[in-house]
Amino acid sequence: MGSYIFKRVLALVPILIGVSFLVFTIMHLSPGDPASLVLGEQATAEQIAQKREEMGLNDPFLVQYGNYVFKYVQGDFGQSYVSNRDVATEILSRFPNTVTLTIASMIIAIGIAIPTGIIAATKQYSITDNVATVLALLGVSMPNFWLGLMLIIGIAVPVQFIPTGGMKVAYTLFGNIKIPTLGSIILPAITLGTGAAGIIMRMTRSSMLEVVRQDYIRTARAKGVSEKVVIRKHALSNALIPIVTVVGLQFGYLLGGAVLTESVFSWPGVGRYMVDSIKTRDMPVVIAGVIFMASVFTIVNLFVDILYAYIDPRIKAEYKKG
């Protein structure tokens, strides 16, 4: 198990290099001059030229990229062109807000998707199954930004105690982890969790359908075991591996995919910070943010793989053989 974890962590290096190179290239080719952004509109041509030289913007492209990578290896993510603050500090201060929104979204998604998927599988081709399938397809198909705007117009505007945006803090944990009020997080969480709920529901249904047709399920029913015990203890426990896979992937996806939702609801997370930085061509923030979220997504996938061993002993045995 230890060697497997080491290999997966080692595989993170080329992924980060590829992601950083791609983002750096896009930002380098995008219009605008970072030196003009830093100095402001009142700067003269001489001041801008001097600032470009100080920032290394006159160096060849590969030299600029190499300098960025060298700084990242040392843990230096640079300073924001706009706020002149440390980028790593800014991202880490906003990351708990993104995690809070993602956890709330996953609670909603799992609470809706898994029971619905189980019911749809046990009542295949019934009206309940058809309705659940249609709702799952709608959840997957609806864009987050559109659903968020509809929830604001249909719920937040008529209902005065639900804010249309922002994060109202109920209390703070450990000094920097802010717990939002239910009213401020409910609409963003529903918006972000709807798509994940549809995907998890469809996977739960298909996995349960595959398991309930197995011989040991028929044997358990023939022995007189109640249907609830058959579904909960025998069917669901054996159908969990693909469900856990999808839940883990969706959690990582929501961490990185909360950009539009955070922008619609003015949620002070990493996604909104990156969008604002893209608008102002704040290259250090954008590159650091993408690398950070790519690392988090890879770590979440690694955690899911390790979790398999505790769900299915056969997988742990394969790890030992490897």
Side-chain angles (χ1 to χ4, degrees), residues 8-312:
R8 287 296 301 271
V9 172
L10 195 63
L12 181 62
V13 176
I15 294 175
L16 296 181
I17 292 175
V19 169
S20 63
F21 182 79
L22 180 61
V23 177
F24 186 88
T25 303
I26 294 173
M27 295 300 296
H28 182 79
L29 297 176
S30 60
D33 186 7
S36 301
L37 176 66
V38 173
L39 295 176
E41 298 179 355
Q42 305 300 325
T44 63
E46 291 78 9
Q47 291 174 331
I48 293 176
Q50 182 180 357
K51 192 64 178 179
R52 286 183 59 85
E53 187 66 28
E54 292 176 0
M55 298 173 66
L57 298 177
N58 295 328
D59 296 334
F61 169 75
L62 292 179
V63 174
Q64 294 185 42
Y65 175 70
N67 292 332
Y68 269 103
V69 173
F70 182 72
K71 291 180 180 178
Y72 289 156
V73 172
Q74 295 179 326
D76 181 12
F77 289 90
Q79 292 182 328
S80 170
Y81 291 161
V82 177
S83 64
N84 202 31
R85 295 178 180 175
D86 183 66
V87 173
T89 303
E90 290 290 301
I91 291 177
L92 291 176
S93 65
R94 290 169 170 79
F95 185 61
N97 299 334
T98 299
V99 173
T100 301
L101 177 58
T102 302
I103 292 175
S105 304
M106 288 304 301
I107 291 174
I108 292 175
I110 294 172
I112 295 174
I114 292 182
T116 305
I118 294 173
I119 295 172
T122 54
K123 298 181 179 180
Q124 189 180 14
Y125 303 132
S126 65
I127 296 177
T128 303
D129 183 22
N130 293 332
V131 171
T133 303
V134 170
L135 292 177
L137 291 174
L138 287 175
V140 173
S141 304
M142 283 189 299
N144 285 343
F145 67 89
W146 180 86
L147 178 59
L149 292 174
M150 293 301 101
L151 291 177
I152 290 174
I153 295 172
I155 298 179
V157 173
V159 181
Q160 298 296 325
F161 63 87
I162 296 181
T164 58
M167 185 181 74
K168 293 185 177 180
V169 181
Y171 52 93
T172 304
L173 295 176
F174 309 112
N176 59 351
I177 300 178
K178 300 175 182 178
I179 305 301
T181 61
L182 180 62
S184 64
I185 199 174
I186 186 65
L187 294 186
I190 292 174
T191 301
L192 193 60
T194 301
I199 295 174
I200 296 172
M201 178 268 163
R202 294 177 66 184
M203 177 55 69
T204 303
R205 178 183 180 275
S206 61
S207 182
M208 286 291 296
L209 285 175
E210 183 179 351
V211 170
V212 295
R213 297 190 179 102
Q214 300 298 319
D215 292 337
Y216 60 86
I217 297 296
R218 287 193 287 267
T219 302
R221 286 170 174 163
K223 288 182 177 180
V225 179
S226 65
E227 188 66 17
K228 291 183 179 179
V229 175
V230 169
I231 297 300
R232 176 173 49 83
K233 186 175 180 180
H234 298 284
L236 182 59
S237 60
N238 287 279
L240 272 180
I241 290 181
I243 298 174
V244 169
T245 303
V246 172
V247 170
L249 292 176
Q250 287 301 305
F251 186 82
Y253 170 76
L254 292 183
L255 278 174
V259 175
L260 294 177
T261 302
E262 290 182 355
S263 299
V264 170
F265 288 95
S266 299
W267 191 264
V270 178
R272 184 189 173 198
Y273 184 46
M274 290 174 60
V275 170
D276 295 339
S277 301
I278 291 173
K279 294 177 182 177
T280 58
R281 205 173 182 270
D282 198 347
M283 188 181 296
V285 175
V286 177
I287 298 175
V290 173
I291 292 175
F292 180 77
M293 298 310 293
S295 304
V296 171
F297 185 81
T298 306
I299 293 171
V300 169
N301 289 345
L302 175 61
F303 176 76
V304 172
D305 289 345
I306 297 173
L307 189 61
Y308 289 165
Y310 297 95
I311 297 176
D312 192 342

